[in-house]
Amino acid sequence: MEDLKGRHLLSLQQYNKKELMQILETAAALQAIMARGVPFKPLQGKTLGMIFNKNSTRTRVSFEVAIYQLGGHGLHLGGQELQLARGESIADTARVLSRYLDAIMIRTYSHAEVEELAANATVPVINGLTDRFHPCQALADFYTLYKKKGRLAGLKLAFVGDGNNNVTHSLLLGAAKLGVDIHVAAPAGYAPEAEVLALARQEAKLSGSSVLLTTDPVEAVAGADAVYTDVWTSMGKEDEAQERCRILAPYQVNSSLMAAAKPDALFLHCLPANRGEEVTDEVMDGPNSAVFDQAENRLHVQKAVLALLVRGGELVEEMANLLGDRKQPRVAG
Ligand code: CP
Ligand code: NVA
């Protein structure tokens, strides 16, 4: 059994397959415990600080509810209200916050800043989205895939749209590690970062999955078990919105593109969506759309992340006892 106590979660690259599976299995156990109405407060008296330098609906609310349901307390720290905005260094901020908090979640622009925060913090730092990665989102996405399809290994996930963003990068790393085939369709100039692609290809070799990059959405989606898209203009890229809409228009996920996937293919989106741009209402509100389950799953998965990073292995034993089983619910890898 892996013990994740004290670890940071900055990118899925820091976690191996076993550790990722442990997070997903813990999410399943916590969801089952909650469904049974069993009181379980493993983070009683613990505090999570949440720094936001970008807007958020899901990440903010799901983390705040997650820590509350686990018995702890969450503090929303607007980036503009912290002394950080007046020039206090990231390192000093990390040292000070570590004296009060049991974990720090941060959503910001620069991934390097989050690495610096983690390097100077003595409590776990969780990336709630940077320009490069969105690991909590991808964990919720693989949890959703597992819950809907009953397995992960051998599934084919197609991502269509802006391949060069945080969500695509995290999906690439997670899929490659978890044995999910990943197909990315993006126009020239919007391909994933070369470094992330190379890492994903390396991981895919080990897990026996495959990574395909193409400019053709139909090629990517053909035979897929799930089709995923994200906004064309991520936070911080607003100046490029018009050009992005023009270049990415052929990458809209609509009924005709979904028809190339398996008939029971899920439609996934991290949300928020710009309906009518990257996805049509018909697909978003259609019978195969899992977008709101995906949003709910942020809560279950983040509870697992918080519990494992703050409490570690001892928690796994406690959950097994509560569920009346030596083992946690299994997630088929
Ligand atoms: N998917 C996601 O991270 O949503 P928010 O931006 O609302 O947090
Ligand atoms: N790629 C999007 C994800 C939002 C959750 C962004 O960064 O704005």
Coordinates of all heavy atoms in Angstrom, one line a residue, residues 10-11 54 108-112 115 127 129-135 163-171 173 193-197 199 237:
L10 N 1.2 18.4 -7.7 CA 1.3 19.5 -8.7 C 1.0 19.1 -10.1 O 0.5 19.8 -10.9 CB 2.8 20.0 -8.6 CG 3.3 20.4 -7.2 CD1 4.6 21.1 -7.4 CD2 2.3 21.2 -6.4
S11 N 1.3 17.8 -10.4 CA 1.1 17.3 -11.7 C 0.9 15.7 -11.6 O 1.5 15.2 -10.7 CB 2.3 17.6 -12.7 OG 2.3 16.6 -13.7
K54 N -7.3 33.0 -10.1 CA -8.2 32.9 -11.3 C -9.6 32.6 -10.8 O -9.7 32.1 -9.7 CB -7.7 31.8 -12.2 CG -6.5 32.1 -13.1 CD -6.2 30.9 -13.9 CE -5.0 31.1 -14.9 NZ -4.6 29.9 -15.5
T108 N -3.6 29.3 -10.1 CA -2.9 30.5 -10.5 C -2.5 30.3 -12.0 O -2.8 29.3 -12.6 CB -1.7 30.8 -9.6 OG1 -1.3 32.1 -9.9 CG2 -0.6 29.8 -9.7
Y109 N -1.7 31.2 -12.5 CA -1.2 31.2 -13.9 C 0.0 30.3 -14.0 O 0.0 29.3 -14.7 CB -0.9 32.6 -14.4 CG -2.2 33.5 -14.4 CD1 -2.7 34.1 -13.3 CD2 -3.0 33.5 -15.6 CE1 -3.8 34.9 -13.3 CE2 -4.1 34.3 -15.6 CZ -4.6 34.9 -14.4 OH -5.7 35.7 -14.5
S110 N 1.1 30.7 -13.4 CA 2.4 30.1 -13.6 C 2.6 28.8 -12.8 O 2.5 28.8 -11.6 CB 3.5 31.1 -13.2 OG 4.7 30.5 -12.9
H111 N 2.9 27.8 -13.6 CA 3.1 26.5 -12.9 C 4.4 26.6 -12.0 O 4.5 26.0 -10.9 CB 3.3 25.3 -13.9 CG 3.2 24.0 -13.3 ND1 2.1 23.5 -12.7 CD2 4.2 23.1 -13.0 CE1 2.3 22.3 -12.2 NE2 3.6 22.0 -12.4
A112 N 5.4 27.3 -12.5 CA 6.7 27.5 -11.7 C 6.4 28.1 -10.4 O 7.1 27.7 -9.4 CB 7.6 28.3 -12.5
E115 N 5.3 25.4 -8.1 CA 6.5 24.6 -7.7 C 7.3 25.3 -6.6 O 7.7 24.6 -5.7 CB 7.3 24.3 -9.0 CG 6.6 23.3 -9.9 CD 7.4 23.1 -11.2 OE1 8.1 24.0 -11.7 OE2 7.2 22.0 -11.8
N127 N -2.3 21.5 -6.7 CA -2.5 22.3 -7.8 C -4.0 22.3 -8.2 O -4.5 21.3 -8.7 CB -1.6 21.8 -9.0 CG -1.9 22.6 -10.3 OD1 -2.6 23.6 -10.3 ND2 -1.2 22.2 -11.3
L129 N -5.2 24.1 -10.6 CA -5.1 24.6 -12.0 C -4.0 25.6 -12.2 O -4.0 26.6 -11.4 CB -6.4 25.2 -12.5 CG -6.5 25.7 -14.0 CD1 -7.9 25.5 -14.6 CD2 -6.1 27.1 -14.1
T130 N -3.1 25.3 -13.1 CA -2.2 26.3 -13.6 C -2.3 26.4 -15.1 O -3.1 25.6 -15.7 CB -0.7 25.9 -13.2 OG1 -0.4 24.7 -13.9 CG2 -0.5 25.8 -11.7
D131 N -1.5 27.2 -15.7 CA -1.6 27.3 -17.2 C -1.2 25.9 -17.8 O -1.7 25.6 -18.9 CB -0.7 28.4 -17.7 CG -1.2 29.8 -17.4 OD1 -2.4 29.9 -17.1 OD2 -0.4 30.8 -17.5
R132 N -0.4 25.2 -17.1 CA 0.1 23.9 -17.7 C -0.7 22.7 -17.3 O -0.8 21.7 -18.1 CB 1.6 23.7 -17.3 CG 2.6 24.6 -17.9 CD 4.0 24.1 -17.7 NE 4.4 23.0 -18.5 CZ 5.4 22.2 -18.2 NH1 6.1 22.4 -17.0 NH2 5.7 21.2 -19.0
F133 N -1.2 22.6 -16.1 CA -1.8 21.4 -15.6 C -3.0 21.6 -14.7 O -3.1 22.6 -14.1 CB -0.7 20.6 -14.7 CG 0.5 20.1 -15.5 CD1 1.7 20.7 -15.2 CD2 0.4 19.2 -16.5 CE1 2.9 20.3 -16.0 CE2 1.5 18.8 -17.2 CZ 2.7 19.4 -17.0
H134 N -3.9 20.6 -14.8 CA -5.1 20.6 -13.9 C -5.3 19.2 -13.4 O -6.2 18.5 -13.8 CB -6.3 21.1 -14.8 CG -7.5 21.5 -14.0 ND1 -7.5 21.5 -12.6 CD2 -8.7 22.0 -14.4 CE1 -8.7 21.9 -12.2 NE2 -9.4 22.3 -13.3
P135 N -4.4 18.7 -12.5 CA -4.4 17.3 -12.1 C -5.7 16.9 -11.4 O -6.2 15.7 -11.6 CB -3.2 17.2 -11.2 CG -2.9 18.6 -10.7 CD -3.3 19.5 -11.8
G163 N -5.3 21.6 -27.8 CA -4.4 20.6 -27.2 C -3.3 21.1 -26.4 O -2.6 20.3 -25.7
N164 N -3.2 22.4 -26.3 CA -2.0 23.0 -25.6 C -2.4 23.6 -24.3 O -1.8 24.5 -23.8 CB -1.4 24.1 -26.5 CG -0.1 24.6 -26.0 OD1 0.0 25.7 -25.5 ND2 0.9 23.7 -26.1
N165 N -3.5 23.0 -23.6 CA -3.9 23.6 -22.4 C -3.7 22.6 -21.2 O -3.3 21.5 -21.4 CB -5.3 24.2 -22.5 CG -6.4 23.2 -22.5 OD1 -6.1 22.0 -22.1 ND2 -7.6 23.5 -22.9
N166 N -4.0 23.2 -20.0 CA -3.8 22.4 -18.8 C -4.6 21.1 -18.7 O -4.1 20.1 -18.2 CB -4.3 23.4 -17.6 CG -5.5 24.2 -18.0 OD1 -6.3 23.9 -18.8 ND2 -5.6 25.4 -17.3
V167 N -5.8 21.1 -19.2 CA -6.7 19.9 -19.2 C -6.1 18.9 -20.1 O -5.9 17.7 -19.7 CB -8.1 20.3 -19.5 CG1 -9.0 19.1 -19.7 CG2 -8.7 21.2 -18.4
T168 N -5.8 19.2 -21.3 CA -5.2 18.2 -22.2 C -3.9 17.6 -21.7 O -3.7 16.4 -21.8 CB -4.9 18.9 -23.6 OG1 -5.9 19.8 -23.9 CG2 -4.9 17.8 -24.7
H169 N -3.1 18.5 -21.2 CA -1.8 18.0 -20.6 C -2.0 17.0 -19.5 O -1.4 15.9 -19.4 CB -0.9 19.2 -20.1 CG -0.4 20.0 -21.2 ND1 0.0 21.3 -21.0 CD2 -0.2 19.8 -22.5 CE1 0.5 21.8 -22.2 NE2 0.4 20.9 -23.1
S170 N -3.0 17.3 -18.6 CA -3.2 16.4 -17.5 C -3.9 15.1 -18.0 O -3.6 14.0 -17.5 CB -4.0 17.0 -16.4 OG -3.2 18.0 -15.8
L171 N -4.8 15.2 -18.9 CA -5.4 14.0 -19.5 C -4.3 13.1 -20.1 O -4.4 11.9 -20.0 CB -6.5 14.3 -20.5 CG -7.8 14.9 -19.9 CD1 -8.7 15.4 -21.1 CD2 -8.5 14.0 -19.0
L173 N -1.1 12.8 -19.5 CA -0.3 12.1 -18.5 C -1.1 11.0 -17.8 O -0.6 9.9 -17.6 CB 0.3 13.1 -17.5 CG 1.3 14.1 -18.1 CD1 1.8 15.1 -17.0 CD2 2.5 13.4 -18.7
E193 N 2.2 20.6 -25.4 CA 3.7 20.9 -25.3 C 4.5 19.6 -25.6 O 4.1 18.5 -25.2 CB 3.9 21.2 -23.8 CG 3.9 22.6 -23.4 CD 4.2 22.7 -21.9 OE1 5.0 22.0 -21.4 OE2 3.6 23.6 -21.3
A194 N 5.6 19.8 -26.3 CA 6.4 18.7 -26.7 C 6.8 17.9 -25.5 O 6.9 16.6 -25.6 CB 7.6 19.2 -27.5
E195 N 7.2 18.5 -24.4 CA 7.7 17.8 -23.3 C 6.6 16.9 -22.7 O 6.9 15.8 -22.3 CB 8.2 18.9 -22.2 CG 8.9 18.3 -21.1 CD 9.2 19.3 -20.0 OE1 9.3 20.5 -20.2 OE2 9.2 18.9 -18.8
V196 N 5.4 17.4 -22.6 CA 4.3 16.6 -22.0 C 4.0 15.5 -22.9 O 3.8 14.3 -22.5 CB 3.1 17.5 -21.8 CG1 1.9 16.7 -21.3 CG2 3.4 18.7 -20.8
L197 N 4.0 15.7 -24.2 CA 3.7 14.7 -25.2 C 4.8 13.5 -25.1 O 4.5 12.4 -25.1 CB 3.7 15.3 -26.6 CG 2.9 14.6 -27.7 CD1 1.5 14.4 -27.3 CD2 3.0 15.5 -29.0
L199 N 6.6 12.8 -22.5 CA 6.5 12.1 -21.2 C 5.3 11.1 -21.3 O 5.4 9.9 -20.9 CB 6.1 13.1 -20.1 CG 7.3 13.8 -19.5 CD1 6.8 14.9 -18.5 CD2 8.2 12.9 -18.7
K237 N -5.9 33.7 -21.7 CA -5.6 33.8 -23.1 C -6.7 34.7 -23.8 O -6.9 34.6 -25.0 CB -5.7 32.4 -23.8 CG -4.7 31.4 -23.2 CD -3.4 31.5 -23.9 CE -2.5 30.4 -23.4 NZ -1.1 30.6 -23.7

